[in-house]
Amino acid sequence: MRRVQTFVRREGRVTAAQARALEELLPHWSWPQGCAAPAEAFGREAPTVLEIGFGAGENLLAQAQAQPERNFIGLEVHRPGVGQLLHRAAQAGLTNLRVCTQDALEFLQQRLPEASVDRIQVWFPDPWPKKRHHKRRIIQRAHLDHFARVLRPGGELLAATDWADYAEWMREHLEAHPALENVHGAGQTAPRCAERILTRFEARGLRLGHSVADYAYRRR
Ligand SMILES: C[S@@+](CC[C@H](N)C(=O)[O-])C[C@H]1O[C@@H](n2cnc3c(N)ncnc32)[C@H](O)[C@@H]1O
């Protein structure tokens, strides 16, 4: 049976530059076929950060530029956003970034070994506000099992949302997971992650008067 997906593929407009980036650059920055570990994909052992649903990749780009000593893996199914990141990654000449357009949940299961990632960041995931769509939310027990498996002990899971209902849902699911521990004490939110850039998703939430909840959990 097909698993319920956490996204709907709406391609929107792919600009000429994005299309060119996808065609010419994706092969250079994509996760190598058949590769099953970050050390192999990057050709080095280094602390590895994984972003799920990076949108247009503003955060990954800034982080990979500012932190050459870390490996960054970006997972995003929305191809215009992937094209945008690749275009900028090429301009910046990044060598510590790999991207994959596969469903993140499949990628985690098929491409990453246990305890191979130091941080997972999931910022402003689709909120799926209607009750009948809650099963599509990326933060939920079965998905957290996959996150926990690939995180190293002590590795962190960072999440943020501007939807009050999803913030409460996140807190419940994250607190309930036996492999995760709240870095700031049971049930607590975290300070806004200083590395995060204000993307259009967070900016829209703030414009609408939403407050943003950040969470930081550690793999036990
Ligand atoms: C609301 S956007 C947020 C983008 C970005 N994190 C930001 O804050 O600007 C959520 C993104 O997650 C992506 N997404 C949702 N489920 C995904 C999955 N299973 N694998 C990869 N990407 C996914 C969507 O395509 C969408 O671009």
Side-chain angles (χ1 to χ4, degrees):
M1 234 178 47
R2 210 169 151 63
R3 190 172 44 74
V4 174
Q5 287 184 320
T6 60
F7 56 89
V8 175
R9 253 183 232 277
R10 282 196 203 93
E11 284 295 289
R13 205 171 81 83
V14 181
T15 65
Q18 289 164 2
R20 209 170 37 250
L22 284 164
E23 192 180 326
E24 293 170 9
L25 305 177
L26 189 55
H28 297 285
W29 269 272
S30 71
W31 186 264
Q33 271 296 331
C35 183
E40 201 185 322
F42 290 94
R44 65 171 186 175
E45 290 278 358
T48 298
V49 175
L50 170 75
E51 180 161 10
I52 295 179
F54 62 69
E58 299 96 322
N59 281 301
L60 276 178
L61 180 76
Q63 289 177 296
Q65 276 183 300
Q67 302 170 52
E69 71 286 358
R70 290 165 121 186
N71 295 332
F72 290 87
I73 307 171
L75 306 177
E76 176 56 69
V77 292
H78 184 63
R79 291 172 64 85
V82 175
Q84 211 166 316
L85 173 61
L86 290 172
H87 185 61
R88 292 176 180 159
Q91 285 176 334
L94 293 180
T95 56
N96 57 339
L97 173 71
R98 294 285 176 276
V99 301
C100 189
T101 56
Q102 191 181 6
D103 179 340
L105 296 161
E106 287 175 13
F107 182 90
L108 293 187
Q109 291 170 79
Q110 296 169 8
R111 313 287 195 107
L112 288 180
E114 221 177 296
S116 56
V117 165
D118 296 86
R119 179 201 281 180
I120 297 177
Q121 51 196 42
V122 192
W123 288 329
F124 304 93
D126 300 297
W128 294 112
K130 292 183 182 151
K131 194 153 190 203
R132 68 173 191 278
H133 289 151
H134 285 181
K135 56 182 179 290
R136 290 181 173 272
R137 287 177 165 175
I138 193 114
I139 302 292
Q140 56 173 289
R141 174 59 198 251
H143 304 164
L144 292 177
D145 288 346
H146 300 310
F147 295 6
R149 186 187 68 82
V150 302
L151 276 174
R152 288 190 211 287
E156 49 182 0
L157 169 57
L158 305 184
T161 182
D162 63 302
W163 285 78
D165 167 68
Y166 199 10
E168 200 41 51
W169 164 288
M170 278 186 183
R171 186 207 309 269
E172 280 169 25
H173 286 77
L174 291 163
E175 286 294 325
H177 199 285
L180 299 173
E181 175 183 41
N182 191 322
V183 172
H184 297 280
Q188 299 300 310
T189 52
R192 185 178 188 281
C193 178
E195 284 174 43
R196 193 169 72 238
I197 283 176
L198 191 70
T199 67
R200 72 187 175 93
F201 289 98
E202 182 167 10
R204 188 185 55 186
L206 295 174
R207 223 173 31 244
L208 292 172
H210 298 176
S211 54
V212 171
D214 268 78
Y215 293 107
Y217 283 75
R218 195 183 291 119
R219 173 77 167 94
R220 290 184 199 275

